[in-house]
Amino acid sequence: METGTLIIGGGLCGLTVARTLAAVRADFRLIDARARLGGRILGLPALSDPRGGIPSLDAGPAWVWPGQERVAALVDDLGLTLFEQYQTGNTVFEDHDGQIRRDIAMALNPGSLRVEGGLARLIAALAAALPGDRISTEWAATAIERTGERYRVSVRTPQGDAAIDAESVVVALPPRLAADQIDLSGVVTDRDRALLRSIPTWMAGHAKALITYETPFWREAGLSGDAISRRGPLVQIHDASPADGRSGAIFGFVGLSADQRDRFGDDAVKDAIVGQLASLFGAPAAEPGAVHLMDWAREDHTATEADRDPPPGHPDYGFPSALQSLAEAGLIFSGTELAPDNGGLIEGALAAAEAAARQVTKGQPVRLGPSQVNAASQG
C-alpha cells in the first residue's frame, strides 16, 4: 500500500492535517488505533436523558477561549455554533473539613465558550468532509523505517499485519505515546526518543466525572454550577448542561491520583461524587440520571505509565529544535504538545496541524472553507 502522506492519529490534529491535504488534492491516508476518531475529544451521547436533552457530553476537553482564532474559524467553517459557558449565580466553595459556602459571587472561567452539541460534533464534521476510503480505524502503527527516499510504516489491522509506504509521515500522537507504542529505532536516535518520552501528555493522568440530571436545578437556587472543593473527590466543578438548558449536567475533575482511583474502584468513587454533589448543591443532586467516570489514565491510546503522575502545572510545550531535521526529511511529529503556541489546548492541536501541513506542502497556501474541502475530497 502506498500514499503520499501517512497521518498516524485521528484526533483533532490529525484530522485537520487530513482536511488541509484534501483541500489541495494531496494524496494521503489517515490511520488510528482506536475504533473511533477524535482522540482525547470524546462525546458521550449514551448519557443523554430520554428526552434527548443532552446531545453529547464532553468527556475530554470542553472549552474554547476568546482569542483562539483557529478554533473559532474552524467552528464557523463547519457550520457549528459556540455558546457561553453558563456562569450566572454564585460559586460554591468547600473547605478541607467539608464546610460549605454558597455566597461567593464570582465566575471560575469567565469568557469560556463551548461548542453547541459538544466537541464531538467538530470531529464528526471534519471526518464527514474527508474521503472515507482514506481513513482507517483500528489500524495501529507499530514501526517506522526509512527505505530509500520513502518511509515504510508497519501496521496492525483487524485483518492482520500490513505495511504502508509513504513519502512523508505525520505522527499526530502525544509524543510519549508515539515513543512507547511505535518502534522508531530505524528513524530516530535514542536521544530523540528520550526527548519524546520526556514530554508529558496533557491531561492524560486525570479523570473527569459527568453527571446528568432532569433539569439544571442549581440555577433556580442562584448557583452557577461552579464549585471548588478542598475536600473532594471532585476538586473543580462546572455546569455542563446543553445550551438550551432543557436538561442538567455537571462535570468535575477528580482530585484523586490514578493509583488512588484504581485502589478505591469506580463504584466507590462515583458514590462519593454523588454524595459530594448533594452536599454542595442540595438534595436533588443525590438523584442523578447517570454518572460516568472517564479515566484517561486507563486509555491505552492516550496515556503511558509515565502519564499516571501528571505534572503540577501546565508544561511549557513547543516544538523541540532537535526534531526539526526529522521534519525536514518528511517525518513530522505533531499534536498539541508540540504546538508552536497554545500547547495542550484545542487551539494548540490546530496550530500543530497547521505547522505539520505547511511542512508537508512546503508552504503551499491551504486555508480553505468546508465547501472547497468537500469539492476537493470528491474530485
Side-chain angles (χ1 to χ4, degrees), residues 40 43 59 64 109 121 131 147 149 183 230 245 247 258 262 272 307 320 333 350 354 373 376:
R40 280 167 279 181
V64 175
N109 291 287
R121 293 189 63 196
T147 58
E149 297 300 313
D183 181 356
R230 303 301 185 207
S247 320
D262 288 347
D307 290 312
F333 289 91
L350 297 179
E354 188 178 276
V373 172

Side-chain angles (χ1 to χ4, degrees), residues 57-73:
L57 292 176
D58 289 311
W63 288 319
V64 175
W65 299 94
Q68 294 185 336
E69 297 180 356
R70 297 180 187 90
V71 182

Side-chain angles (χ1 to χ4, degrees), residues 6-23:
L6 177 64
I7 304 165
I8 303 173
L12 179 58
C13 177
L15 286 171
T16 303
V17 174
R19 180 177 188 258
T20 301
L21 298 183

Side-chain angles (χ1 to χ4, degrees), residues 188-198 322-323:
V188 305
T189 64
D190 290 343
R191 183 176 179 179
D192 288 341
R193 188 165 186 173
L195 171 62
L196 292 170
R197 282 180 166 154
S198 72
L323 301 180

Side-chain angles (χ1 to χ4, degrees), residues 74-96:
L74 181 60
V75 167
D76 185 60
D77 280 350
L78 297 175
L80 303 177
T81 303
L82 293 171
F83 71 98
E84 291 186 12
Q85 167 75 31
Y86 187 86
Q87 295 186 96
T88 302
N90 290 344
T91 290
V92 180
F93 176 77
E94 180 181 32
D95 68 17
H96 291 282

